[in-house]
Amino acid sequence: QKEVEQDPGPLSVPEGAIVSLNCTYSNSAFQYFMWYRQYSRKGPELLMYTYSSGNKEDGRFTAQVDKSSKYISLFIRDSQPSDSATYLCAMSGGNFNKFYFGSGTKLNVKP
Amino acid sequence: GAVVSQHPSRVICKSGTSVKIECRSLDFQATTMFWYRQFPKQSLMLMATSNEGSKATYEQGVEKDKFLINHASLTLSTLTVTSAHPEDSSFYICSVGGYEQYFGPGTRLTVT
């Protein structure tokens, strides 16, 4: 079983739609949860991070963590064509000596 | 956030030669840097953790004699792919930071 599971997609939505991206994990020691956006042939870019359980909002993006279910989500409101990219979830324990990444979900927002 | 650069951005080399990839943290003193490899349509696979002034820590299955890592200063780590083969062709990415990891733009290696 992988440490982090993420549906690879692709996920195709019309412009303006609400997008839900999800990851599940197996290690209850994870405390930090991150979402990265990666455009083709580029390095990942940090979008949001959350510590422990709860929600965090930043503009059109909302990250949710449910540690009891070992499930994290990223919601994108009013999606734009520029949001088209691969979204990677990542998580770590408290010492940051290793990060575990999901396989990435490819999102396509159609104009 | 931290700015991380990588050089070169793309490199093509012949099988059997060695290639050095540099990772520079421009505004962050990094005692630790991470090196990842990413195959097409796959996620990041951690290869090794580069430690400033000491030996790198390699993940299981990564040959340390083939992927030489040197972390000579708080702003520079290098990854040398020795005796490269076509199966080493991949996208190599480094990162620095704490819980907020900042990634370099990546280096695309093609071995012919």
Side-chain angles (χ1 to χ4, degrees):
Chain A
Q1 182 187 8
K2 290 183 182 179
E3 298 267 8
V4 182
E5 299 276 2
Q6 183 176 9
D7 187 336
L11 180 62
S12 188
V13 301
E15 183 176 354
I18 297 175
V19 176
S20 173
L21 304 167
N22 311 292
C23 289
T24 59
Y25 63 96
S26 57
N27 190 340
S28 57
F30 290 148
Q31 297 185 61
Y32 290 87
F33 304 90
M34 286 70 70
W35 285 96
Y36 288 86
R37 177 173 61 195
Q38 186 176 24
Y39 293 110
S40 182
R41 300 174 183 270
K42 301 289 185 184
E45 169 195 13
L46 179 67
L47 278 177
M48 298 186 74
Y49 73 91
T50 309
Y51 171 71
S52 193
S53 282
N55 295 359
K56 188 172 185 178
E57 187 174 319
D58 183 1
R60 295 186 296 112
F61 298 90
T62 299
Q64 286 186 352
V65 175
D66 182 350
K67 291 192 73 177
S68 63
S69 302
K70 296 189 177 68
Y71 187 89
I72 70 171
S73 301
L74 177 71
F75 296 96
I76 307 174
R77 291 184 298 281
D78 188 23
S79 55
Q80 303 295 309
S82 57
D83 295 328
S84 298
T86 296
Y87 290 79
L88 298 156
C89 63
M91 29 201 98
S92 178
N95 54 7
F96 315 121
N97 62 358
K98 190 168 181 178
F99 293 83
Y100 297 84
F101 285 83
S103 57
T105 300
K106 186 174 174 62
L107 172 66
N108 181 32
V109 181
K110 296 178 291 186
Chain B
V3 178
V4 181
S5 69
Q6 281 185 242
H7 178 79
S9 58
R10 316 186 87 169
V11 58
I12 301 172
C13 70
K14 292 186 177 180
S15 186
T17 61
S18 295
V19 174
K20 180 185 283 189
I21 301 170
E22 291 185 351
C23 175
R24 290 186 184 272
S25 175
L26 302 182
D27 57 357
F28 182 91
Q29 304 230 312
T31 55
T32 301
M33 291 185 178
F34 299 94
W35 284 97
Y36 295 86
R37 181 165 53 182
Q38 186 176 34
F39 292 105
K41 299 185 180 181
Q42 294 187 29
S43 190
L44 301 168
M45 292 179 56
L46 180 65
M47 298 176 65
T49 303
S50 171
N51 303 300
E52 189 264 338
S54 64
K55 292 182 180 180
T57 305
Y58 290 83
E59 292 300 299
Q60 191 174 5
V62 177
E63 299 175 57
K64 60 182 180 182
D65 293 332
K66 180 171 182 60
F67 297 99
L68 300 178
I69 290 174
N70 184 289
H71 193 149
S73 75
L74 292 173
T75 59
L76 174 64
S77 175
T78 60
L79 168 68
T80 301
V81 183
T82 63
S83 186
H85 290 284
E87 57 266 31
D88 298 324
S89 298
S90 188
F91 194 52
Y92 292 86
I93 310 176
C94 65
S95 72
V96 305
Y99 59 84
E100 295 183 52
Q101 283 289 298
Y102 296 95
F103 287 84
T107 296
R108 183 158 302 281
L109 170 64
T110 303
V111 184
T112 60

